Amino acid sequence: MEILDKLLAIVLSLAILGQAIVIRRLVGTWLVPACIFSLFWFAYTFVPLVALFFVPIEPLAIAYILLACTLFSLTALGPDWQAAMRVRQNAGSRFRYDTPFLRHVFHATTALILLCQLADLLIQGFSPVDVVLNPLGTAAEYTARRYAEDLEKNIFAQLGLLFAYPAATIGGLLYGARAQGDTGYRTLLLAVLPSLAMMLIQGAKGTVFLAVFMIWGGVLLTRIERGEFTLVDQGGVKRLLFYCLLAFPFLLLSFLSRMLNSMDGGAEVVQQLVRYFASYTSAHLYAFSDWFSYWTLGSSVMEYVLEEDAYGFYTFTALFKLLGSSKTVPMGSYDEYFVYAELLQTNIYTVFRGLVQDFSVGGALCFVTVSGFLLHWSYWRLLVGRSPFFSAAIFVFSIAYFYTSFFISLLIWNNVYAGFLLLAFFLRLNDESCRRCALADSPAPGAAPPAVCSKP
């Protein structure tokens, strides 16, 4: 029976990909929110189901995710996307991203983030010598203190996170708009450097992957501006594999930093590494499956606290806190840890647990549908609008939201809202800078300014 359930779940996962292919054929491109969201969730379901084939699953949970993806995708069928893409291809450049202004902002924010990280380490009692000579020990202690909630809160840590999102996105914009012949390696390295430092020194792995998808969002913006509608350009897959291999040693060191004080031998280290990789890549789906089965069918491996009518708290935690909510949540939002044998352990239950707790099973589907309408409307404005600063920022953060949906709602963190506004602000200033530069380059009074700034 468990094998049949797993096979059915795999078929349902493949159906997520199938409906994305249908939408792609109807719309004419993969570069639309419906397809991107569905591709993420095909990967988030198919990989765990196949990689851990022997771990039991509740097919109803996968069917629910399929239904959510389908409803989100259906909201893409209204607009005439072919007409919108022709408008973007024929209208010419509205603004450019390879500007001196954005380069200055990128370098300044990257330096600021690194300085804030250093200041935070000093406030926590670490010295630069500790970081250089014993990075694993520093990361292990920092991680332990973070989980024990024993870190000193300070403005530098908050500022570092605030600028991390726009800095990574602007790095993606500069990389995507680079001159022909420029490899862009330096830009990419600077874009991921703050998050790599955070992972290596503080043991925080999530920021690296979030930074990568913010960079990718920036690259996609530059393609849209050029009238190109491909998710991955030629050679993109090879570059992605190269960067993954490059980041793997840092990820491995981050895992090892957690085991310095608890592992006795090599065999135990290997076993724990396998557990870490299995948990971080696959446990979210099995945890949600168990929780969803408990919520809907009343049967599960674990027992859970059924908190109903949270009214959006687990989806918009930051806004509730801003409005004065005194409700407390543990680190990671849930203190229930799903465990399977000696392989899986996690308190990650996907964004869908929060949505169901907030709005009920049916209400969560309504929320996904409304979100689909809003994101596709914003995407339409990005294609046909004259100066779509907010739509551009929304598009990048929607990519980040799709990525984080495998473990939580991106909207629970207050620095996300601030980072979004900051990115839109920088894009607005960049446009003003280009307009002033274009006017200065105008050949004669009253003549139409050039489309792009000619100054280096």
Side-chain angles (χ1 to χ4, degrees):
M1 188 64 178
E2 289 183 356
I3 294 179
L4 292 178
D5 287 344
K6 178 56 69 78
L7 293 175
L8 176 57
I10 291 175
V11 170
L12 293 171
S13 175
L14 290 171
I16 297 176
L17 176 62
Q19 58 89 27
I21 293 174
V22 171
I23 295 297
R24 187 260 177 259
R25 290 183 178 274
L26 294 174
V27 170
T29 177
W30 287 106
L31 189 47
V32 66
C35 291
I36 298 173
F37 182 67
S38 295
L39 288 176
F40 268 108
W41 271 101
F42 167 66
Y44 289 158
T45 54
F46 188 78
V47 172
L49 290 172
V50 174
L52 301 180
F53 187 81
F54 55 88
V55 179
I57 195 78
E58 173 51 59
L60 182 62
I62 313 302
Y64 185 77
I65 294 174
L66 168 62
L67 179 58
C69 291
T70 303
L71 291 174
F72 186 88
S73 295
L74 289 175
T75 63
L77 297 182
D80 186 347
W81 296 109
Q82 294 290 340
M85 288 188 286
R86 285 194 297 269
V87 168
R88 181 82 305 277
Q89 291 166 341
N90 298 329
S93 179
R94 295 165 295 189
F95 39 76
R96 59 182 291 183
Y97 297 118
D98 56 335
T99 62
F101 174 79
L102 282 184
R103 283 195 290 272
H104 293 329
V105 170
F106 175 60
H107 293 139
T109 52
T110 301
L112 178 61
I113 295 168
L114 293 173
L115 289 174
C116 285
Q117 290 178 1
L118 177 60
D120 175 56
L121 286 171
L122 294 175
I123 291 173
Q124 306 304 338
F126 299 99
S127 72
V129 176
D130 296 329
V131 175
V132 174
L133 298 182
N134 188 20
L136 289 181
T138 301
E141 184 177 348
Y142 196 102
T143 301
R145 289 175 59 182
R146 183 174 68 247
Y147 279 101
E149 299 185 3
D150 192 32
L151 293 174
E152 290 286 338
K153 294 183 179 180
N154 61 86
I155 189 173
F156 297 105
Q158 294 300 317
L159 281 176
L161 289 174
L162 169 63
F163 284 97
Y165 304 120
T169 303
I170 293 173
L173 292 174
L174 294 174
Y175 177 78
R178 69 193 185 279
Q180 189 174 6
D182 181 5
T183 61
Y185 291 149
R186 177 178 174 274
T187 300
L188 284 180
L189 178 61
L190 286 177
V192 299
L193 183 60
S195 55
L196 283 177
M198 190 176 297
M199 180 175 71
L200 188 60
I201 299 171
Q202 300 178 5
K205 295 170 292 300
T207 54
V208 174
F209 299 103
L210 186 55
V212 167
F213 285 103
M214 299 294 286
I215 293 170
W216 186 47
V219 172
L220 292 181
L221 272 183
T222 63
R223 291 183 191 161
I224 292 171
E225 186 61 21
R226 294 193 298 265
E228 301 172 3
F229 294 93
T230 56
L231 281 177
V232 182
D233 60 357
Q234 291 184 355
V237 175
K238 291 182 179 179
R239 287 195 298 271
L240 179 61
L241 292 175
F242 171 75
Y243 297 138
C244 288
L245 291 174
L246 191 64
F248 182 78
F250 292 93
L251 181 62
L252 188 61
L253 287 173
S254 179
F255 283 137
L256 289 173
S257 70
R258 295 190 172 197
M259 301 184 292
L260 285 181
N261 301 323
S262 58
M263 300 291 103
D264 295 328
E268 191 176 357
V269 169
V270 172
Q271 182 181 4
Q272 187 63 21
L273 283 175
V274 171
R275 184 177 185 180
Y276 274 143
F277 280 107
S279 295
Y280 276 91
T281 60
S282 305
H284 63 276
L285 187 66
Y286 295 99
F288 173 72
S289 168
D290 194 59
W291 176 85
F292 192 75
S293 178
Y294 186 81
W295 183 281
T296 56
L297 304 176
S299 62
S300 60
V301 174
M302 293 177 50
E303 290 191 7
Y304 301 89
V305 176
L306 293 183
E307 180 182 357
E308 299 184 37
D309 302 325
Y311 303 110
F313 180 85
Y314 289 97
T315 305
F316 303 102
T317 305
L319 294 181
F320 276 76
K321 294 293 186 180
L322 182 64
L323 295 174
S325 173
S326 58
K327 183 175 181 178
T328 59
V329 293
M331 183 177 294
S333 296
Y334 309 110
D335 55 7
E336 299 142 328
Y337 279 79
F338 173 78
V339 177
Y340 179 82
E342 295 295 324
L343 184 64
L344 301 177
Q345 179 176 331
T346 187
N347 65 336
I348 293 175
Y349 290 87
T350 80
V351 69
F352 292 107
R353 172 174 176 171
L355 288 174
V356 171
Q357 287 188 170
D358 285 340
F359 309 113
S360 78
V361 172
L365 296 176
C366 292
F367 178 90
V368 170
T369 304
V370 172
S371 298
F373 278 115
L374 293 176
L375 288 179
H376 286 106
W377 174 81
S378 177
Y379 187 64
W380 172 270
R381 294 298 305 162
L382 176 62
L383 298 184
V384 303
R386 296 183 62 182
S387 298
F389 309 108
F390 278 100
S391 294
I394 288 172
F395 175 77
V396 173
F397 275 81
S398 70
I399 299 293
Y401 183 89
F402 297 159
Y403 157 66
T404 59
S405 64
F406 86 93
F407 63 96
I408 204 68
S409 167
L410 184 71
L411 303 176
I412 68 172
W413 294 298
N414 53 15
N415 50 45
V416 168
Y417 299 89
F420 164 78
L421 294 175
L422 197 58
L423 175 61
F425 178 67
F426 285 145
L427 293 178
R428 181 72 177 88
L429 290 182
N430 179 63
D431 183 65
E432 286 296 322
S433 175
C434 280
R435 289 180 187 276
R436 287 195 297 268
C437 185
L439 288 173
D441 288 343
S442 185
V452 296
C453 180
S454 62
K455 292 182 179 180

